Amino acid sequence: MSVMQSGTQMVKLKSGTKGLVRLFYLDEHRTCIRWRPSRKSEKAKIVIDSIYKVTEGRQSEIFHRHAEGNFDPSCCFTIYHGSHLESLDLITSNPEEARTWITGLKYLMAGISDEDSLAKRQRTHDHWVKQTFEEADKNGDGLLNIEEIHQLMHKLNVNLPRRKVRQMFQEADTDENQGTLNFEEFSVFYKMMSLRRDLYLLLLSYSDKKDHLTVEELAQFLKVEQKVNNVTPEYCLDIIQKFEVSEENKKQNVLGIEGFTNFMRSPACDIFNPLHCEVHQDMDQPLCNYFIASSHNTYLTGDQLLSQSRVEMYARVLQDGCRCIEVDCWDGPDGEPVVHHGYTLTSKILFRDVAETINKYAFIKNEFPVILSIENHCSIQQQKKIAQYLKEIFGDKLDLSSVLTGDSRQLPSPQNLKGKILVKGKKLPCSLGADAEEGEVSEEDSADEIEDDCKLKPCYSNGATEHQVESFIRTKLESLIKESQIRDKEDTDSFTVRALLKATHEGLNVNLKQNLDTKESGKKSHSRSLMGNFGKHKKAVKAASKYHSASDDEESQQNSSGKEMGQLHSRLARRKKTVKLCRALSDLVVYTNSVAAQDIVDDGSTGNVLSFSETRAHQAVQQKAEQFMLYNQKQLTRVYPSAYRIDSSNFNPLPYWNVGCQLVALNYQSEGRVMQLNEAKFRVNGNCGYVLKPQQMCKGTFNPYSADPLPASPKKQLILKIISGQQLPKPPDSMLGDRGEIIDPFVEVEMIGLPVDCCKDQTRVVDDNGFNPVWEETLTFTIHMPEIALVRFLVWDHDPIGRDFVGQRTLAFSSLVPGYRHVYLEGMTEASIFVHITINEIYGKWSPLILNPSYTILHFLGATKNKQLIGLRGLFNKNPKHNSAETSGPYVRKRSIGDRILRRTASAPAKGRKKSKMGFPEATEIKDSASEPVDLKDKEGVVRRTSRSLQARPASMPVDKYLLVGPTCPEDETAQDAKGKENASGKMLPKLVLM
């Protein structure tokens, strides 16, 4: 460690350039690797937590590109880090230095993986405070003066009077070096600044207004508020010993405000149920009764046209809990099959390397079965090689002869298949004789939605032309991705990619075939032709996209349902290509025989996996949701992204989960909302990749789009009190960074599940306070099917032209724990929201009408009926966005950027005042809503609350009375005055529509 901290000069390899000599060193906290010199200055670092693995020798893609370099392999190593497995490729001057770094990094990574959650929280907090101090110390003398403290206040989003800051500064400044704070004094200052009124008042309410809790008072708090069972005095004493700071308090067995704050901010009071960190569901049911975490194009690190294919991606997703991975197999040189994305310029990796990586990492985190989805494009010879490698490498893991199902018509359970690898692929038909070594099967090609003239064929022959092709496509792809990033981060709509695909592929194929050895002038005309082609297609598609979304196809432009039907049949007929399959590969497929939608035969057999692209699955969901659900009770269904998603964006998985589709395959390399939903869904069962479907989805059927889909089942009522926020940072994409204005935060809570449960609600805005804003607002939700519902907490910064995304946390509803809880924002060390959670069970036909005003309005407007009757008009639209089952309803055209800005502005709650609440009488709601029916849904098709019930619900008594009588800020007083007038008059205040 000391060698690493003092630093080592190493060569940093980069693609396309010579190596750069840099000094690499481990920081004093042993939390990150830094290097200098660097243009990134403070950002030139890799956090140890983000390191995925360290490999020795010249194994990485960059080292392979520098194959001509005369590097000693024992001096080379690669650090893979971040969600996209970026590589840092380093060369030391001697083997001993390389060995020191490799051993040291592996030691640090092992320590972090073995750390318990409490130790990790304490370590990250201490590191954050130390880092904050160092960044504020501009001249590096280890001391902070008052001016540096004022600048730090602004960076931390604290808006305190300068007089108050100076007073705390003087109290903390206790050594002989007056006028500056060293780190110990700064830690005292930070604790004074961080003293939380909400937690202090909570402690007072349970301690009979003392400044500490006794063992008995702590036990009472845990039982009454936190709903902890079997609270013993020993348990309470253990909390005091762990969290109390004062030795005096420890001796007296009491918990002071600092210890209480530490306890409330610890994992023990996190919103996520700690029992769900382990597998706790019944794992003995048939495979079809589980949602299964599934990846699409697992090998890719980025987009579908140019990105790198890496075996490390298999290791990463398997350890992240994914249990169904995809391998696209193609003929490679020297008789060795390769894995890459067909018809594109993605790099190739050997199939054998992929199989070895899967074998190594499949069962490290859990032993539940892995499904290997093989997309086979190989010749018979190389298919035999694939089968040979699978048998050699996986061995007994492929042997399913000992697996007992108990019923031949039923799939085995995850428990029975522990440690097994299931090969999902084509199987030779039974009509072929057992001695036939090969046969014809229908081709399974996820890229087949793209017409042949759009597929990039290898029609160039020399390196210069290939480089020209890659350069052109990269430019176009980057412009597309930049354009798509203009949109709101929470908007799941994507810009159209079809135009780019057609222009790029057609232009390249035509122009490159005409003249492969063009001169410079020829290259210029080629470029002009290509640009013209791109512009033409882009204009045409953009015009169409005003009324149709990103992946609309020709079928969606047909007016007659008869024409649509004919078009669909001709398309299916066109798709039904066949390929040769060898017996050796076919025999490895046992319970996961891959069949396309048009090949399905209801012959009572089990073990078929029905494969759908998102566009075809969307048609099935819209047309026959209940029949689809019944099918999914016996067989597996896999839904994968449209081939037009060349930027590796993800579709909305909800409509497919809602009808019981098990394998909803997503691009794991793409961060964002969809992957956050996916992670939340599968974290509920120890992140083992298998989540049990609700009982109602496994037996019987129901209409997921009904106004009351499960009338006989009790519903859940979530009463969520948003109390305060802590250390909320400036938005990550803030143009002025830390120098920008102090944020004006508000919290939005989104309920995600069955369509009837999907809605949003939000708090008011708190002005100029990101450090400790207080909202004290209660939001209420009713959930019909809590087993599949997700809850999404979002923090936004309100500004005059809209809102900026600050952070989020998404959880399964069933993982919420009642009581006072902290919701830590994902990927942030200290930022959190403090909430109180109450969950009630409610019965009766009318309960949703009473507790969910948005539902009432939709019910009376007949919006749900409209969903069912949309019928033929939207049945064959190739559009997973606006016409999806989740968002169906009156068709809304795609908005322009200007419209979006206006809409985002209008969606922010009123600044500095509480939203008006609305009384219960339904007649008023109907009258108000009838005039503005379109505003009931936002652009994501989610109900946005326009009103709330006036009825008071005690969400967090008895602390409320203390919070109300304590010192209040002006905006709180305004809100309370309004509330008092509202309650005194007994009348409804005017409704404030927040859209």
Side-chain angles (χ1 to χ4, degrees):
M1 293 293 117
S2 60
V3 170
M4 292 166 71
Q5 285 179 316
S6 59
T8 306
Q9 275 208 332
M10 294 188 256
V11 175
K12 176 185 175 187
L13 273 192
K14 295 183 77 176
S15 58
T17 63
K18 291 181 180 177
L20 307 170
V21 179
R22 297 288 182 264
L23 179 71
F24 287 84
Y25 61 97
L26 183 68
D27 76 334
E28 61 175 300
H29 313 295
R30 299 182 179 181
T31 56
C32 58
I33 304 165
R34 294 181 177 273
W35 59 91
R36 60 175 186 257
S38 173
R39 285 179 297 179
K40 296 179 182 175
S41 62
E42 279 300 309
K43 292 183 180 177
K45 65 179 181 182
I46 293 173
V47 181
I48 301 293
D49 283 13
S50 74
I51 295 178
Y52 172 68
K53 75 169 182 174
V54 180
T55 59
E56 304 175 41
R58 302 170 52 176
Q59 297 185 38
S60 74
E61 182 84 22
I62 302 292
F63 275 118
H64 289 160
R65 289 190 186 185
H66 287 268
E68 73 288 346
N70 191 20
F71 311 129
D72 180 356
S74 61
C75 295
C76 303
F77 66 100
T78 301
I79 300 169
Y80 290 99
H81 61 97
S83 58
H84 291 271
L85 292 187
E86 298 162 64
S87 67
L88 176 63
D89 302 274
L90 301 172
I91 307 165
T92 59
S93 54
N94 60 68
E96 289 73 30
E97 287 178 339
R99 173 56 44 202
T100 298
W101 275 85
I102 292 165
T103 307
L105 288 171
K106 287 185 176 178
Y107 169 78
L108 290 170
M109 290 161 65
I112 286 169
S113 64
D114 292 341
E115 204 171 35
D116 67 28
S117 55
L118 179 59
K120 185 169 185 177
R121 165 124 291 282
Q122 190 58 50
R123 176 176 62 82
T124 53
H125 172 76
D126 294 344
H127 172 242
W128 184 84
V129 174
K130 182 73 175 171
Q131 189 180 10
T132 301
F133 176 80
E134 288 171 353
E135 288 175 3
D137 181 15
K138 301 296 183 188
N139 57 7
D141 62 356
L143 299 169
L144 297 185
N145 58 35
I146 189 69
E147 200 48 50
E148 286 172 322
I149 287 288
H150 282 308
Q151 289 173 17
L152 178 61
M153 296 287 98
H154 191 274
K155 182 181 176 181
L156 292 177
N157 284 305
V158 186
N159 190 15
L160 284 174
R162 293 177 80 89
R163 179 180 49 78
K164 178 72 175 170
V165 174
R166 184 169 289 280
Q167 181 188 336
M168 289 193 295
F169 184 95
Q170 288 167 350
E171 286 180 36
D173 188 8
T174 53
D175 65 2
E176 68 281 352
N177 208 355
Q178 290 291 300
T180 56
L181 303 181
N182 60 28
F183 178 67
E184 288 69 28
E185 290 172 324
F186 172 74
S187 298
V188 173
F189 173 84
Y190 182 76
K191 282 179 182 173
M192 292 163 59
M193 186 178 73
S194 305
L195 182 65
R196 288 188 35 197
R197 174 174 162 258
D198 51 0
L199 291 180
Y200 185 62
L201 294 175
L202 184 56
L203 180 140
L204 289 179
S205 69
Y206 273 90
S207 66
D208 197 22
K209 300 189 180 178
K210 302 188 301 293
D211 64 352
H212 61 262
L213 290 170
T214 64
V215 170
E216 295 75 22
E217 289 163 346
L218 177 57
Q220 181 71 1
F221 169 75
L222 293 173
K223 287 176 194 169
V224 174
E225 290 293 354
Q226 305 301 83
K227 310 298 180 193
V228 179
N229 298 322
N230 306 319
V231 180
T232 62
E234 292 75 26
Y235 179 66
C236 296
L237 286 169
D238 186 47
I239 289 174
I240 292 169
Q241 291 305 311
K242 263 187 190 172
F243 297 101
E244 180 52 54
V245 177
S246 160
E247 291 299 323
E248 185 66 30
N249 283 352
K250 282 184 182 180
K251 286 177 190 171
Q252 295 178 20
N253 290 331
V254 296
L255 193 66
I257 181 59
E258 271 194 72
F260 184 65
T261 302
N262 289 342
F263 171 63
M264 292 303 291
R265 285 184 65 80
S266 77
C269 293
D270 190 82
I271 192 171
F272 185 80
N273 189 339
L275 298 176
H276 290 188
C277 293
E278 304 294 331
V279 176
H280 64 94
Q281 295 181 341
D282 175 11
M283 302 304 284
D284 286 310
Q285 297 191 30
L287 274 183
C288 52
N289 284 7
Y290 296 86
F291 296 113
I292 304 171
S294 306
S295 162
H296 174 249
N297 288 349
T298 311
Y299 46 88
L300 289 181
T301 56
D303 65 80
Q304 317 274 315
L305 275 185
L306 293 166
S307 68
Q308 297 298 313
S309 305
R310 283 191 182 150
V311 293
E312 290 81 14
M313 290 302 291
Y314 287 96
R316 190 203 122 195
V317 303
L318 286 166
Q319 292 187 95
D320 282 351
C322 181
R323 295 286 92 183
C324 178
I325 52 181
E326 185 177 28
V327 188
D328 287 354
C329 304
W330 297 80
D331 282 349
D334 306 319
E336 287 292 325
V338 294
V339 174
H340 79 114
H341 194 39
Y343 316 118
T344 69
L345 295 176
T346 56
S347 62
K348 300 175 176 66
I349 48 180
L350 291 174
F351 176 82
R352 181 181 190 124
D353 293 345
V354 169
E356 286 173 346
T357 303
I358 293 167
N359 188 50
K360 183 178 177 182
Y361 290 96
F363 304 111
I364 285 181
K365 292 288 181 77
N366 77 77
E367 290 186 22
F368 291 108
V370 169
I371 300 171
L372 198 60
S373 181
I374 295 209
E375 197 168 286
N376 172 24
H377 304 273
C378 293
S379 62
I380 291 292
Q381 267 322 102
Q382 296 208 13
Q383 285 180 38
K384 288 177 179 174
K385 207 74 174 278
I386 289 171
Q388 177 194 331
Y389 285 145
L390 291 175
K391 288 174 191 169
E392 284 176 4
I393 294 166
F394 295 140
D396 291 343
K397 296 185 181 85
L398 291 178
D399 181 15
L400 304 179
S401 58
S402 59
V403 175
L404 301 172
T405 63
D407 182 350
S408 60
R409 292 168 301 173
Q410 204 172 68
L411 286 166
S413 69
Q415 186 69 32
N416 286 338
L417 290 166
K418 266 190 169 182
K420 297 296 182 184
I421 291 178
L422 304 178
V423 176
K424 172 189 162 297
K426 290 292 181 182
K427 202 162 177 63
L428 289 174
C430 302
S431 55
L432 271 183
D435 55 343
E437 283 301 306
E438 59 185 64
E440 297 272 330
V441 292
S442 63
E443 185 179 20
E444 184 82 7
D445 183 358
S446 64
D448 203 52
E449 288 177 35
I450 301 178
E451 290 77 0
D452 285 338
D453 62 353
C454 279
K455 293 175 182 175
L456 188 63
K457 304 294 195 305
C459 56
Y460 40 78
S461 57
N462 59 60
T465 313
E466 182 175 355
H467 180 73
Q468 181 189 352
V469 170
E470 185 171 339
S471 174
F472 173 79
I473 298 180
R474 192 175 296 283
T475 305
K476 288 296 154 210
L477 189 63
E478 282 170 2
S479 70
L480 168 83
I481 291 171
K482 277 179 189 169
E483 188 180 5
S484 70
Q485 284 170 348
I486 295 169
R487 68 182 184 273
D488 188 327
K489 277 186 166 48
E490 284 298 301
D491 181 4
T492 54
D493 283 353
S494 293
F495 281 76
T496 179
V497 294
R498 186 188 173 109
L500 172 65
L501 225 88
K502 266 192 172 295
T504 301
H505 289 64
E506 284 182 7
L508 287 170
N509 286 326
V510 170
N511 286 281
L512 291 175
K513 278 175 186 172
Q514 281 175 357
N515 193 355
L516 287 176
D517 53 348
T518 51
K519 303 294 180 194
E520 193 59 36
S521 61
K523 286 182 184 175
K524 285 178 184 173
S525 65
H526 158 81
S527 172
R528 276 199 301 273
S529 159
L530 223 43
M531 290 299 288
N533 198 345
F534 176 75
K536 238 187 314 184
H537 279 283
K538 189 160 185 177
K539 281 175 190 169
V541 177
K542 283 220 166 185
S545 71
K546 288 181 180 177
Y547 298 99
H548 302 277
S549 88
S551 42
D552 275 358
D553 204 324
E554 286 86 352
E555 291 95 342
S556 62
Q557 294 167 26
Q558 305 294 328
N559 296 322
S560 146
S561 60
K563 283 183 185 175
E564 288 170 345
M565 211 58 171
Q567 188 83 2
L568 180 68
H569 285 304
S570 67
R571 186 172 182 79
L572 293 181
R574 191 179 73 215
R575 280 194 76 246
K576 199 157 185 176
K577 302 172 186 173
T578 59
V579 290
K580 285 192 178 298
L581 176 68
C582 77
R583 172 70 63 185
L585 194 53
S586 170
D587 287 349
L588 296 178
V589 178
V590 182
Y591 292 111
T592 44
N593 176 25
S594 185
V595 292
Q598 67 271 18
D599 298 332
I600 194 73
V601 178
D602 189 13
D603 56 2
S605 61
T606 55
N608 286 333
V609 181
L610 185 60
S611 287
F612 273 122
S613 76
E614 61 175 283
T615 49
R616 295 187 180 92
H618 159 68
Q619 294 167 12
V621 167
Q622 277 209 326
Q623 189 176 12
K624 295 182 176 179
E626 292 180 65
Q627 289 91 322
F628 205 175
M629 193 181 295
L630 282 170
Y631 176 85
N632 289 328
Q633 291 171 9
K634 297 174 185 174
Q635 308 277 17
L636 298 176
T637 299
R638 181 173 183 266
V639 182
Y640 54 86
S642 163
Y644 288 106
R645 292 183 180 275
I646 57 170
D647 57 349
S648 290
S649 60
N650 279 313
F651 59 88
N652 179 9
L654 275 172
Y656 314 113
W657 285 337
N658 286 344
V659 293
C661 294
Q662 299 87 353
L663 301 157
V664 181
L666 301 173
N667 289 304
Y668 269 58
Q669 73 272 31
S670 296
E671 298 169 351
R673 173 189 168 87
V674 172
M675 276 311 297
Q676 288 156 4
L677 299 182
N678 192 65
E679 286 160 14
K681 186 171 192 71
F682 288 101
R683 209 174 282 135
V684 76
N685 192 29
N687 202 33
C688 73
Y690 288 84
V691 170
L692 191 61
K693 295 199 285 192
Q695 194 57 35
Q696 299 95 325
M697 281 189 179
C698 299
K699 284 184 181 174
T701 187
F702 66 91
N703 182 357
Y705 305 108
S706 162
D708 191 4
L710 302 163
S713 303
K715 298 156 187 63
K716 295 282 187 185
Q717 179 198 36
L718 171 65
I719 301 171
L720 183 63
K721 185 168 189 179
I722 311 289
I723 300 169
S724 62
Q726 295 77 43
Q727 281 95 316
L728 303 177
K730 290 181 170 62
D733 296 330
S734 172
M735 286 199 306
L736 298 173
D738 295 333
R739 294 173 295 120
E741 290 183 353
I742 292 172
I743 66 171
D744 307 324
F746 67 95
V747 178
E748 180 177 69
V749 180
E750 182 180 1
M751 192 64 61
I752 301 160
L754 291 182
V756 71
D757 292 335
C758 289
C759 58
K760 295 180 181 180
D761 208 349
Q762 57 195 23
T763 66
R764 62 190 167 84
V765 173
V766 171
D767 289 340
D768 294 334
N769 191 346
F771 191 75
N772 54 2
V774 175
W775 291 285
E776 281 288 329
E777 289 197 47
T778 301
L779 315 178
T780 307
F781 301 91
T782 301
I783 302 97
H784 290 68
M785 185 174 269
E787 297 92 337
I788 63 167
L790 303 173
V791 186
R792 188 163 167 81
F793 295 86
L794 297 135
V795 178
W796 298 94
D797 172 24
H798 174 69
D799 66 48
I801 61 162
R803 57 184 187 173
D804 292 315
F805 177 74
V806 174
Q808 67 83 35
R809 175 95 180 266
T810 308
L811 306 107
F813 177 85
S814 55
S815 294
L816 300 182
V817 191
Y820 286 97
R821 304 286 165 184
H822 278 93
V823 184
Y824 281 94
L825 302 185
E826 216 163 81
M828 298 180 191
T829 309
E830 295 291 297
S832 64
I833 314 164
F834 188 46
V835 301
H836 183 276
I837 290 173
T838 307
I839 297 173
N840 298 323
E841 203 159 80
I842 54 178
Y843 297 84
K845 186 177 177 182
W846 295 102
S847 52
L849 302 182
I850 295 167
L851 295 164
N852 195 336
S854 305
Y855 166 83
T856 312
I857 298 166
L858 281 174
H859 178 77
F860 281 98
L861 285 176
T864 49
K865 188 180 290 185
N866 204 12
K867 284 176 191 167
Q868 295 161 11
L869 296 180
I870 195 165
L872 294 173
R873 181 179 56 181
L875 195 56
F876 299 105
N877 279 354
K878 199 174 178 190
N879 177 357
K881 304 278 184 198
H882 295 305
N883 291 330
S884 73
E886 183 195 356
T887 61
S888 56
Y891 190 82
V892 182
R893 69 178 178 84
K894 193 165 182 178
R895 291 186 173 80
S896 67
I897 295 291
D899 287 343
R900 288 184 187 191
I901 290 172
L902 290 172
R903 188 163 181 80
R904 285 167 55 205
T905 310
S907 71
K911 245 181 169 180
R913 63 180 178 186
K914 205 173 176 83
K915 290 193 290 180
S916 304
K917 293 187 178 181
M918 218 181 133
F920 167 65
E922 292 151 16
T924 315
E925 290 174 355
I926 300 161
K927 183 179 174 184
D928 289 347
S929 65
S931 61
E932 296 179 333
V934 178
D935 288 340
L936 290 170
K937 291 199 171 194
D938 68 5
K939 60 189 168 190
E940 292 171 19
V942 178
V943 176
R944 187 177 285 280
R945 296 285 177 79
T946 56
S947 60
R948 277 194 229 131
S949 170
L950 183 61
Q951 181 185 354
R953 295 185 180 87
S956 55
M957 292 300 283
V959 73
D960 271 13
K961 57 186 177 184
Y962 295 106
L963 287 170
L964 289 173
V965 297
T968 57
C969 60
E971 56 201 22
D972 286 341
E973 288 168 4
T974 310
Q976 287 160 18
D977 289 346
K979 189 174 179 182
K981 288 174 188 172
E982 178 184 70
N983 290 337
S985 66
K987 294 178 183 176
M988 295 174 294
L989 291 173
K991 183 175 77 167
L992 182 62
V993 179
L994 299 171
M995 289 300 297

